[in-house]
Amino acid sequence: MATGLMRRYRLAKVPPPQLIYVDRDCCSPDGVSKTAALFLEWERLVVRLDIWHLMRRFASGVTTESHQLYPTFMRQLSHCIFEVDSGDARRLTQAKRSELEGKHGMVGLTDADVIQRVYKVEWRLHCRRRTRVAEETALLIQDLLDTFNGPAGRDRLDIPLLDALCIQDIWSTQWRHLSCIQDWPGVQLYTETGRLTKGGVSLPVYRCARGSTSMAYFHLHRFISGTSARPRYFQAFLIDVLVRWTEDRAAAAAPPPAAEDHLPPLHSYSGHLKHALNQKSQRVLGHHLVKDFTKLPAYTGELIGVEYLFQQTGSVLEDVSGDPAAAVIALQDEDEGIEEDEDPTISGPVLLSSDAAARSGGPADTDRSEPSGLSPPPPRRGCPSRYLTDSRSASLLRL
């Protein structure tokens, strides 16, 4: 996989990434990271440990995450690692003070009072953070652990938050990773995506690229409906989701458009369709009608998803006809795909007797000389044919 990724960058003639965040294998006693060893062509690659994963390692040393002091401990641990940009904090405090005085009539507040009323989401949107130096972080974490190992680390029932032996063992193994979480100089981790006015003060809105922020949400999605699927259907669902995910992430990473460049919202994820529409609109109208955040690259032969797994075992993924109509007919003939247990609450088609049909005003089921006016029975629950009858999904099958 690493070889294919390096090849993709090489063929695209794109400079290799400078920084990669991982959840493990960030460093090695001999000085060579296992992750860096995978990407031998990227000699200047810097490997950093995702700070969220480091904090989760400390969280495994608590007696229970439902402890009354657990949120306070994790908040203080984050404070030991990060420091807020002083200029951004001062601007946000000024905006919050103006908002409290103008909307709520709260005057004479100290800076501490105003800071207590700033929401966490406001800190995240309007203030950049950077990691403290490793030595300072080590001193702060040690002081934090000493504090919560004492009386301050017990709740009203005298139950300690930290498992003393476990947390010390964790600290003895994790302190060396403090150098692995440092922000790399010269790499811009924050992008200004817009501005927001609060209390008459214009505040920048930032998006942070540190860690696994976007990929963390990737794990929360359920791409395949049902419990099992045939390989080609699984591949079609997977590629559909990846196309949508890539387009959404590219749109989120793009700078805000200027007023004169305002384009209508996205209505299709089909890159071929958008590309063709922009070609025709450029020829007729002199400008593009839709914003295309991902360009159509040339196919390099790289495998993805189920194809990659089949190649590892020496198998071949089922070939699918390039004709969309043939693909739909094949789906209807097979009546296979995602298998789920039948829902007993959903009944099948009802056959009417001659008398019942006469009372209902419809033809009897025994009369097969003319086509019935009844609509066909609904597709089986979980059948993917309803997703694959449109041109977009049929195009995915051609992959």
Side-chain angles (χ1 to χ4, degrees):
M1 184 178 61
T3 302
L5 193 58
M6 291 186 291
R7 179 173 177 267
R8 179 191 299 181
Y9 274 81
R10 186 171 63 253
L11 293 178
K13 298 180 180 181
V14 175
Q18 299 176 281
L19 189 63
I20 181 173
Y21 282 91
V22 297
D23 59 355
R24 55 174 295 175
D25 297 332
C26 53
C27 60
S28 177
D30 58 3
V32 179
S33 168
K34 293 182 180 180
T35 302
L38 288 174
F39 302 93
L40 294 177
E41 297 182 15
W42 299 345
E43 299 177 354
R44 299 183 179 181
L45 180 66
V46 177
V47 180
R48 284 291 178 262
L49 176 64
D50 182 25
I51 297 177
W52 183 84
H53 286 89
L54 177 67
M55 295 177 64
R56 291 302 307 167
R57 295 176 186 180
F58 280 94
S60 63
V62 303
T63 54
T64 173
E65 293 188 4
S66 60
H67 195 280
Q68 182 181 2
L69 297 176
Y70 176 76
T72 304
F73 174 76
M74 297 302 293
R75 200 161 42 240
Q76 292 298 322
L77 180 60
S78 176
H79 177 72
C80 294
I81 298 174
F82 292 108
E83 61 180 354
V84 180
D85 183 86
S86 57
D88 293 340
R90 184 169 54 254
R91 185 165 49 244
L92 177 59
T93 303
Q94 178 185 354
K96 192 66 175 180
R97 181 188 298 275
S98 300
E99 183 183 50
L100 293 174
E101 292 176 352
K103 290 186 177 181
H104 306 285
M106 303 173 65
V107 297
L109 296 176
T110 63
D111 289 344
D113 295 333
V114 175
I115 290 176
Q116 288 182 353
R117 288 170 170 80
V118 178
Y119 297 107
K120 183 170 62 175
V121 65
E122 294 176 319
W123 289 112
R124 187 175 65 251
L125 287 178
H126 306 301
C127 294
R128 293 165 293 183
R129 298 189 302 172
R130 55 177 173 267
T131 54
R132 303 178 187 270
V133 295
E135 294 78 8
E136 181 183 1
T137 300
L139 293 175
L140 292 175
I141 292 180
Q142 183 63 64
D143 183 64
L144 177 67
L145 297 181
D146 292 341
T147 301
F148 277 85
N149 272 323
R154 295 176 175 270
D155 62 6
R156 297 175 182 176
L157 299 178
D158 202 34
I159 299 176
L161 169 68
L162 301 180
D163 184 328
L165 295 179
C166 182
I167 199 67
Q168 288 303 324
D169 181 64
I170 293 173
W171 176 229
S172 64
T173 58
Q174 298 303 319
W175 67 269
R176 64 185 180 91
H177 289 298
L178 297 182
S179 60
C180 300
I181 63 174
Q182 300 298 305
D183 292 340
W184 190 250
V187 177
Q188 182 60 252
L189 296 177
Y190 282 89
T191 303
E192 184 176 336
T193 60
R195 301 193 72 86
L196 187 147
T197 302
K198 185 184 297 291
V201 179
S202 178
L203 298 174
V205 177
Y206 294 112
R207 183 183 61 84
C208 182
R210 181 191 288 109
S212 58
T213 304
S214 62
M215 290 304 296
Y217 295 101
F218 192 79
H219 300 301
L220 301 178
H221 289 270
R222 183 181 179 186
F223 302 144
I224 313 301
S225 38
T227 57
S228 63
R230 291 189 59 169
R232 61 175 176 179
Y233 300 154
F234 189 101
Q235 182 77 350
F237 277 114
L238 180 63
I239 293 178
D240 183 30
V241 173
L242 292 179
V243 169
R244 292 168 178 260
W245 180 272
T246 303
E247 184 72 21
D248 289 342
R249 299 287 70 76
E260 60 273 10
D261 297 334
H262 178 70
L263 295 174
L266 178 69
H267 293 291
S268 173
Y269 285 96
S270 173
H272 293 278
L273 182 61
K274 292 186 293 183
H275 181 68
L277 176 60
N278 283 335
Q279 280 187 324
K280 298 180 184 302
S281 63
Q282 181 67 37
R283 186 183 311 121
V284 177
L285 304 176
H287 62 84
H288 291 172
L289 285 181
V290 295
K291 182 66 174 178
D292 190 4
F293 296 101
T294 55
K295 305 303 179 183
L296 295 176
Y299 180 58
T300 61
E302 184 178 359
L303 303 179
I304 189 173
V306 178
E307 290 178 325
Y308 181 80
L309 296 178
F310 270 56
Q311 191 264 351
Q312 299 299 306
T313 59
S315 304
V316 179
L317 186 63
E318 303 172 70
D319 186 22
V320 180
S321 171
D323 184 9
V328 174
I329 293 174
L331 289 174
Q332 295 173 348
D333 291 341
E334 289 175 346
D335 192 25
E336 291 190 29
I338 298 178
E339 300 177 358
E340 288 185 348
D341 295 334
E342 295 281 348
D343 189 344
T345 63
I346 301 178
S347 60
V350 178
L351 301 180
L352 301 180
S353 63
S354 301
D355 296 339
R359 290 194 300 271
S360 63
D365 183 73
T366 56
D367 183 9
R368 301 179 181 269
S369 59
E370 296 294 335
S372 171
L374 296 176
S375 59
R380 195 175 68 182
R381 182 170 177 260
C383 179
S385 59
R386 56 193 172 93
Y387 298 109
L388 300 174
T389 52
D390 63 331
S391 60
R392 174 182 57 77
S393 299
S395 300
L396 292 176
L397 288 176
R398 289 200 294 271
L399 299 176

